[in-house]
Short mmCIF file of all heavy atoms in Angstrom, two decimals:
data_model
loop_
_atom_site.label_atom_id
_atom_site.label_comp_id
_atom_site.label_asym_id
_atom_site.label_seq_id
_atom_site.Cartn_x
_atom_site.Cartn_y
_atom_site.Cartn_z
N ILE V 1 -5.06 6.69 8.71
CA ILE V 1 -4.93 5.29 8.31
C ILE V 1 -3.61 4.65 8.71
O ILE V 1 -3.61 3.55 9.26
CB ILE V 1 -5.14 5.23 6.76
CG1 ILE V 1 -6.62 5.59 6.37
CG2 ILE V 1 -4.79 3.82 6.20
CD1 ILE V 1 -6.84 5.72 4.90
N ILE V 2 -2.50 5.33 8.41
CA ILE V 2 -1.18 4.80 8.72
C ILE V 2 -0.97 4.66 10.23
O ILE V 2 -0.40 3.64 10.69
CB ILE V 2 -0.06 5.61 8.03
CG1 ILE V 2 -0.17 5.56 6.52
CG2 ILE V 2 1.31 5.12 8.47
CD1 ILE V 2 0.00 4.14 5.98
N LYS V 3 -1.54 5.58 10.98
CA LYS V 3 -1.35 5.54 12.44
C LYS V 3 -2.06 4.31 13.04
O LYS V 3 -1.62 3.81 14.14
CB LYS V 3 -1.91 6.79 13.04
CG LYS V 3 -0.95 8.03 12.89
CD LYS V 3 -1.64 9.28 13.54
CE LYS V 3 -0.73 10.50 13.44
NZ LYS V 3 -1.32 11.72 13.93
N ASN V 4 -3.10 3.80 12.35
CA ASN V 4 -3.80 2.65 12.93
C ASN V 4 -3.63 1.38 12.06
O ASN V 4 -4.28 0.46 12.34
CB ASN V 4 -5.38 3.01 12.93
CG ASN V 4 -5.60 4.12 13.95
OD1 ASN V 4 -5.51 3.90 15.17
ND2 ASN V 4 -5.93 5.31 13.44
N VAL V 5 -2.55 1.38 11.26
CA VAL V 5 -2.46 0.29 10.31
C VAL V 5 -2.04 -1.02 10.98
O VAL V 5 -2.28 -2.11 10.46
CB VAL V 5 -1.42 0.65 9.20
CG1 VAL V 5 -0.04 0.58 9.74
CG2 VAL V 5 -1.65 -0.12 7.96
N ASN V 6 -1.44 -0.91 12.17
CA ASN V 6 -1.12 -2.13 12.90
C ASN V 6 -2.28 -3.07 13.17
O ASN V 6 -2.11 -4.24 13.23
CB ASN V 6 -0.35 -1.80 14.24
CG ASN V 6 1.11 -1.55 13.97
OD1 ASN V 6 1.64 -1.81 12.93
ND2 ASN V 6 1.71 -0.89 15.03
N LYS V 7 -3.42 -2.44 13.19
CA LYS V 7 -4.64 -3.29 13.49
C LYS V 7 -4.97 -4.26 12.33
O LYS V 7 -5.64 -5.25 12.49
CB LYS V 7 -5.84 -2.38 13.71
CG LYS V 7 -5.73 -1.41 14.93
CD LYS V 7 -6.92 -0.50 15.10
CE LYS V 7 -6.83 0.40 16.21
NZ LYS V 7 -7.91 1.39 16.32
N ILE V 8 -4.45 -3.92 11.14
CA ILE V 8 -4.78 -4.74 9.95
C ILE V 8 -3.54 -5.26 9.28
O ILE V 8 -3.57 -5.81 8.14
CB ILE V 8 -5.60 -3.92 8.95
CG1 ILE V 8 -4.87 -2.64 8.53
CG2 ILE V 8 -6.96 -3.57 9.53
CD1 ILE V 8 -5.53 -1.90 7.35
N LYS V 9 -2.40 -5.15 9.91
CA LYS V 9 -1.11 -5.49 9.27
C LYS V 9 -0.93 -6.91 8.80
O LYS V 9 -0.19 -7.22 7.94
CB LYS V 9 0.06 -5.11 10.13
CG LYS V 9 0.13 -5.90 11.43
CD LYS V 9 1.30 -5.29 12.30
CE LYS V 9 1.31 -5.87 13.73
NZ LYS V 9 1.79 -7.20 13.84
N ASP V 10 -1.76 -7.85 9.33
CA ASP V 10 -1.63 -9.22 8.93
C ASP V 10 -2.77 -9.74 8.02
O ASP V 10 -2.82 -10.93 7.66
CB ASP V 10 -1.57 -10.13 10.18
CG ASP V 10 -0.29 -9.86 10.98
OD1 ASP V 10 0.84 -9.74 10.45
OD2 ASP V 10 -0.39 -9.80 12.31
N ILE V 11 -3.70 -8.81 7.70
CA ILE V 11 -4.74 -9.21 6.80
C ILE V 11 -4.28 -9.29 5.38
O ILE V 11 -3.55 -8.40 4.89
CB ILE V 11 -5.92 -8.21 6.89
CG1 ILE V 11 -6.56 -8.23 8.30
CG2 ILE V 11 -6.98 -8.44 5.87
CD1 ILE V 11 -7.59 -7.22 8.57
N GLU V 12 -4.64 -10.32 4.61
CA GLU V 12 -4.22 -10.46 3.23
C GLU V 12 -4.73 -9.33 2.40
O GLU V 12 -5.92 -9.02 2.47
CB GLU V 12 -4.74 -11.76 2.69
CG GLU V 12 -4.29 -12.05 1.23
CD GLU V 12 -4.87 -13.28 0.67
OE1 GLU V 12 -5.49 -14.08 1.46
OE2 GLU V 12 -4.80 -13.53 -0.53
N THR V 13 -3.82 -8.60 1.69
CA THR V 13 -4.19 -7.45 0.96
C THR V 13 -3.53 -7.44 -0.42
O THR V 13 -2.33 -7.72 -0.53
CB THR V 13 -3.76 -6.16 1.71
OG1 THR V 13 -4.36 -6.21 3.03
CG2 THR V 13 -4.20 -4.98 0.99
N VAL V 14 -4.28 -7.15 -1.45
CA VAL V 14 -3.81 -6.97 -2.80
C VAL V 14 -4.02 -5.51 -3.19
O VAL V 14 -5.08 -4.97 -2.98
CB VAL V 14 -4.49 -7.86 -3.81
CG1 VAL V 14 -4.00 -7.61 -5.23
CG2 VAL V 14 -4.33 -9.34 -3.45
N ILE V 15 -2.88 -4.83 -3.65
CA ILE V 15 -2.95 -3.46 -3.95
C ILE V 15 -2.50 -3.30 -5.42
O ILE V 15 -1.48 -3.79 -5.83
CB ILE V 15 -2.00 -2.57 -3.08
CG1 ILE V 15 -2.30 -2.75 -1.60
CG2 ILE V 15 -1.93 -1.13 -3.51
CD1 ILE V 15 -1.25 -2.22 -0.65
N VAL V 16 -3.32 -2.58 -6.21
CA VAL V 16 -3.02 -2.29 -7.67
C VAL V 16 -3.01 -0.78 -7.85
O VAL V 16 -3.89 -0.12 -7.41
CB VAL V 16 -4.09 -2.89 -8.55
CG1 VAL V 16 -3.66 -2.69 -10.00
CG2 VAL V 16 -4.30 -4.40 -8.31
N HIS V 17 -1.90 -0.30 -8.41
CA HIS V 17 -1.72 1.14 -8.50
C HIS V 17 -0.89 1.51 -9.74
O HIS V 17 0.11 0.87 -10.04
CB HIS V 17 -1.00 1.70 -7.28
CG HIS V 17 -1.30 3.13 -6.98
ND1 HIS V 17 -2.19 3.55 -6.00
CD2 HIS V 17 -0.86 4.26 -7.55
CE1 HIS V 17 -2.26 4.86 -5.98
NE2 HIS V 17 -1.44 5.37 -6.86
N ASN V 18 -1.28 2.56 -10.42
CA ASN V 18 -0.52 3.09 -11.55
C ASN V 18 0.76 3.80 -11.09
O ASN V 18 0.67 4.57 -10.11
CB ASN V 18 -1.31 4.08 -12.38
CG ASN V 18 -2.22 3.47 -13.47
OD1 ASN V 18 -2.03 2.32 -13.73
ND2 ASN V 18 -3.11 4.19 -14.09
N ARG V 19 1.85 3.58 -11.74
CA ARG V 19 3.08 4.19 -11.38
C ARG V 19 2.97 5.77 -11.45
O ARG V 19 3.42 6.49 -10.62
CB ARG V 19 4.26 3.74 -12.27
CG ARG V 19 5.58 4.51 -12.14
CD ARG V 19 6.24 4.25 -10.79
NE ARG V 19 6.86 2.92 -10.76
CZ ARG V 19 7.55 2.42 -9.70
NH1 ARG V 19 7.69 3.23 -8.62
NH2 ARG V 19 8.01 1.26 -9.73
N LEU V 20 2.34 6.25 -12.54
CA LEU V 20 2.24 7.62 -12.78
C LEU V 20 0.84 8.17 -12.57
O LEU V 20 0.22 8.73 -13.43
CB LEU V 20 2.68 7.99 -14.21
CG LEU V 20 4.21 7.77 -14.50
CD1 LEU V 20 4.61 8.17 -15.90
CD2 LEU V 20 5.08 8.59 -13.48
N ASP V 21 0.33 7.94 -11.39
CA ASP V 21 -0.99 8.41 -11.01
C ASP V 21 -0.76 9.80 -10.36
O ASP V 21 -0.18 9.92 -9.28
CB ASP V 21 -1.67 7.47 -9.99
CG ASP V 21 -3.06 7.84 -9.55
OD1 ASP V 21 -3.42 9.01 -9.72
OD2 ASP V 21 -3.78 7.00 -9.12
N LEU V 22 -1.19 10.83 -11.01
CA LEU V 22 -0.93 12.17 -10.54
C LEU V 22 -2.08 12.68 -9.62
O LEU V 22 -2.12 13.80 -9.13
CB LEU V 22 -0.69 13.19 -11.67
CG LEU V 22 0.43 12.86 -12.54
CD1 LEU V 22 0.68 13.94 -13.58
CD2 LEU V 22 1.76 12.68 -11.72
N ILE V 23 -3.18 11.89 -9.46
CA ILE V 23 -4.26 12.22 -8.57
C ILE V 23 -3.94 11.70 -7.22
O ILE V 23 -3.96 12.35 -6.15
CB ILE V 23 -5.63 11.63 -9.04
CG1 ILE V 23 -5.93 12.09 -10.46
CG2 ILE V 23 -6.75 12.01 -8.04
CD1 ILE V 23 -6.06 13.56 -10.68
N CYS V 24 -3.66 10.40 -7.13
CA CYS V 24 -3.25 9.72 -5.88
C CYS V 24 -1.84 9.11 -6.12
O CYS V 24 -1.75 8.02 -6.64
CB CYS V 24 -4.29 8.58 -5.52
SG CYS V 24 -5.90 9.18 -5.27
N PRO V 25 -0.83 9.88 -5.84
CA PRO V 25 0.56 9.46 -6.14
C PRO V 25 0.86 8.06 -5.61
O PRO V 25 0.41 7.66 -4.55
CB PRO V 25 1.40 10.55 -5.54
CG PRO V 25 0.55 11.76 -5.49
CD PRO V 25 -0.86 11.20 -5.23
N TYR V 26 1.78 7.39 -6.32
CA TYR V 26 2.17 6.04 -6.03
C TYR V 26 2.70 5.90 -4.62
O TYR V 26 2.63 4.75 -4.08
CB TYR V 26 3.19 5.67 -7.13
CG TYR V 26 3.75 4.22 -6.97
CD1 TYR V 26 3.08 3.11 -7.43
CD2 TYR V 26 5.03 4.01 -6.44
CE1 TYR V 26 3.56 1.84 -7.33
CE2 TYR V 26 5.54 2.74 -6.24
CZ TYR V 26 4.82 1.68 -6.66
OH TYR V 26 5.29 0.39 -6.62
N LYS V 27 3.34 6.90 -4.10
CA LYS V 27 3.98 6.81 -2.80
C LYS V 27 2.93 6.31 -1.72
O LYS V 27 3.34 5.59 -0.79
CB LYS V 27 4.54 8.16 -2.40
CG LYS V 27 5.31 8.13 -1.08
CD LYS V 27 5.89 9.45 -0.73
CE LYS V 27 6.69 9.39 0.54
NZ LYS V 27 5.87 9.15 1.72
N GLY V 28 1.66 6.74 -1.84
CA GLY V 28 0.64 6.35 -0.85
C GLY V 28 0.54 4.75 -0.89
O GLY V 28 0.41 4.11 0.16
N ALA V 29 0.44 4.17 -2.03
CA ALA V 29 0.36 2.71 -2.18
C ALA V 29 1.57 2.07 -1.68
O ALA V 29 1.50 1.00 -1.00
CB ALA V 29 0.12 2.36 -3.71
N TYR V 30 2.70 2.60 -1.97
CA TYR V 30 3.99 2.02 -1.48
C TYR V 30 4.08 2.14 0.06
O TYR V 30 4.50 1.13 0.67
CB TYR V 30 5.19 2.78 -2.20
CG TYR V 30 6.52 2.28 -1.74
CD1 TYR V 30 7.01 1.11 -2.37
CD2 TYR V 30 7.27 2.90 -0.85
CE1 TYR V 30 8.28 0.63 -2.02
CE2 TYR V 30 8.59 2.39 -0.42
CZ TYR V 30 9.01 1.23 -1.13
OH TYR V 30 10.25 0.75 -0.72
N ASP V 31 3.78 3.27 0.63
CA ASP V 31 3.87 3.46 2.03
C ASP V 31 2.92 2.47 2.74
O ASP V 31 3.26 1.81 3.79
CB ASP V 31 3.47 4.85 2.43
CG ASP V 31 4.52 5.89 2.12
OD1 ASP V 31 5.66 5.47 1.74
OD2 ASP V 31 4.26 7.07 2.12
N LEU V 32 1.71 2.27 2.18
CA LEU V 32 0.75 1.26 2.81
C LEU V 32 1.31 -0.05 2.70
O LEU V 32 1.29 -0.83 3.71
CB LEU V 32 -0.57 1.42 2.08
CG LEU V 32 -1.66 0.45 2.49
CD1 LEU V 32 -2.09 0.74 3.94
CD2 LEU V 32 -2.88 0.51 1.59
N HIS V 33 1.80 -0.50 1.56
CA HIS V 33 2.35 -1.82 1.29
C HIS V 33 3.44 -2.12 2.33
O HIS V 33 3.55 -3.22 2.91
CB HIS V 33 2.79 -1.89 -0.07
CG HIS V 33 3.67 -3.09 -0.43
ND1 HIS V 33 3.21 -4.44 -0.25
CD2 HIS V 33 5.02 -3.17 -0.77
CE1 HIS V 33 4.18 -5.23 -0.56
NE2 HIS V 33 5.25 -4.55 -0.87
N LYS V 34 4.33 -1.13 2.54
CA LYS V 34 5.48 -1.37 3.43
C LYS V 34 5.01 -1.54 4.89
O LYS V 34 5.75 -2.19 5.71
CB LYS V 34 6.45 -0.17 3.37
CG LYS V 34 7.09 0.02 2.04
CD LYS V 34 8.04 -1.16 1.76
CE LYS V 34 9.31 -1.07 2.51
NZ LYS V 34 10.29 -2.11 2.12
N LYS V 35 3.79 -1.05 5.28
CA LYS V 35 3.33 -1.16 6.58
C LYS V 35 2.50 -2.52 6.90
O LYS V 35 2.25 -2.84 8.00
CB LYS V 35 2.41 0.01 6.97
CG LYS V 35 3.14 1.36 7.01
CD LYS V 35 3.97 1.44 8.30
CE LYS V 35 4.56 2.83 8.40
NZ LYS V 35 5.38 2.94 9.66
N LEU V 36 2.30 -3.21 5.81
CA LEU V 36 1.45 -4.44 5.84
C LEU V 36 2.33 -5.66 5.72
O LEU V 36 3.17 -5.71 4.79
CB LEU V 36 0.36 -4.42 4.80
CG LEU V 36 -0.70 -3.29 4.93
CD1 LEU V 36 -1.66 -3.30 3.73
CD2 LEU V 36 -1.42 -3.30 6.22
N ASN V 37 2.12 -6.65 6.63
CA ASN V 37 2.95 -7.83 6.59
C ASN V 37 2.52 -8.79 5.49
O ASN V 37 3.31 -9.67 5.08
CB ASN V 37 2.89 -8.57 7.93
CG ASN V 37 3.51 -7.67 8.98
OD1 ASN V 37 4.35 -6.84 8.74
ND2 ASN V 37 3.13 -7.95 10.28
N ASN V 38 1.26 -8.72 5.05
CA ASN V 38 0.71 -9.75 4.19
C ASN V 38 0.09 -9.07 2.98
O ASN V 38 -1.01 -9.45 2.54
CB ASN V 38 -0.36 -10.55 4.94
CG ASN V 38 -0.72 -11.78 4.25
OD1 ASN V 38 -0.08 -12.27 3.31
ND2 ASN V 38 -1.89 -12.35 4.67
N SER V 39 0.87 -8.15 2.36
CA SER V 39 0.23 -7.41 1.15
C SER V 39 1.12 -7.71 -0.07
O SER V 39 2.37 -7.96 0.05
CB SER V 39 0.18 -5.92 1.49
OG SER V 39 1.46 -5.32 1.49
N LYS V 40 0.47 -7.53 -1.21
CA LYS V 40 1.13 -7.63 -2.48
C LYS V 40 0.82 -6.36 -3.29
O LYS V 40 -0.32 -6.00 -3.46
CB LYS V 40 0.63 -8.93 -3.23
CG LYS V 40 1.34 -9.08 -4.62
CD LYS V 40 0.89 -10.32 -5.29
CE LYS V 40 1.63 -10.53 -6.60
NZ LYS V 40 1.18 -11.74 -7.35
N LEU V 41 1.86 -5.71 -3.76
CA LEU V 41 1.67 -4.46 -4.49
C LEU V 41 1.99 -4.73 -5.99
O LEU V 41 3.11 -5.17 -6.33
CB LEU V 41 2.69 -3.34 -3.94
CG LEU V 41 2.69 -2.04 -4.74
CD1 LEU V 41 1.31 -1.35 -4.81
CD2 LEU V 41 3.76 -1.13 -4.12
N ILE V 42 1.00 -4.54 -6.82
CA ILE V 42 1.06 -4.65 -8.25
C ILE V 42 1.16 -3.34 -8.84
O ILE V 42 0.20 -2.51 -8.79
CB ILE V 42 -0.11 -5.44 -8.85
CG1 ILE V 42 -0.14 -6.90 -8.29
CG2 ILE V 42 -0.04 -5.44 -10.34
CD1 ILE V 42 -1.09 -7.12 -7.28
N THR V 43 2.32 -3.00 -9.41
CA THR V 43 2.59 -1.67 -10.01
C THR V 43 2.33 -1.70 -11.50
O THR V 43 2.84 -2.58 -12.25
CB THR V 43 3.99 -1.23 -9.79
OG1 THR V 43 4.27 -1.25 -8.41
CG2 THR V 43 4.19 0.19 -10.27
N ILE V 44 1.44 -0.84 -12.04
CA ILE V 44 1.13 -0.80 -13.45
C ILE V 44 1.82 0.37 -14.09
O ILE V 44 1.81 1.46 -13.59
CB ILE V 44 -0.51 -0.58 -13.56
CG1 ILE V 44 -1.22 -1.60 -12.73
CG2 ILE V 44 -0.86 -0.67 -15.08
CD1 ILE V 44 -0.92 -3.05 -13.01
#
């Protein structure tokens, strides 16, 4: 996903993620958000 993220970097994206998610750690949401130019990360 991250290797190909440039293809979607300008698509409007909203991301909602729990801070203490121990199944899918928050870092994944943060890393994705940092790679996207038009995203909003909402941390719960």
Side-chain angles (χ1 to χ4, degrees):
I1 291 173
I2 295 300
K3 285 180 179 176
N4 293 290
V5 78
N6 277 346
K7 297 177 181 179
I8 57 172
K9 62 186 172 78
D10 294 319
I11 294 174
E12 182 183 351
T13 305
V14 178
I15 301 169
V16 183
H17 205 102
N18 274 349
R19 170 71 72 177
L20 293 179
D21 184 337
L22 299 185
I23 306 299
C24 300
Y26 179 78
K27 184 177 183 296
Y30 182 79
D31 288 348
L32 177 65
H33 167 63
K34 296 293 287 185
K35 293 286 186 179
L36 299 174
N37 295 335
N38 194 16
S39 70
K40 181 177 183 181
L41 174 59
I42 295 101
T43 305
I44 309 302

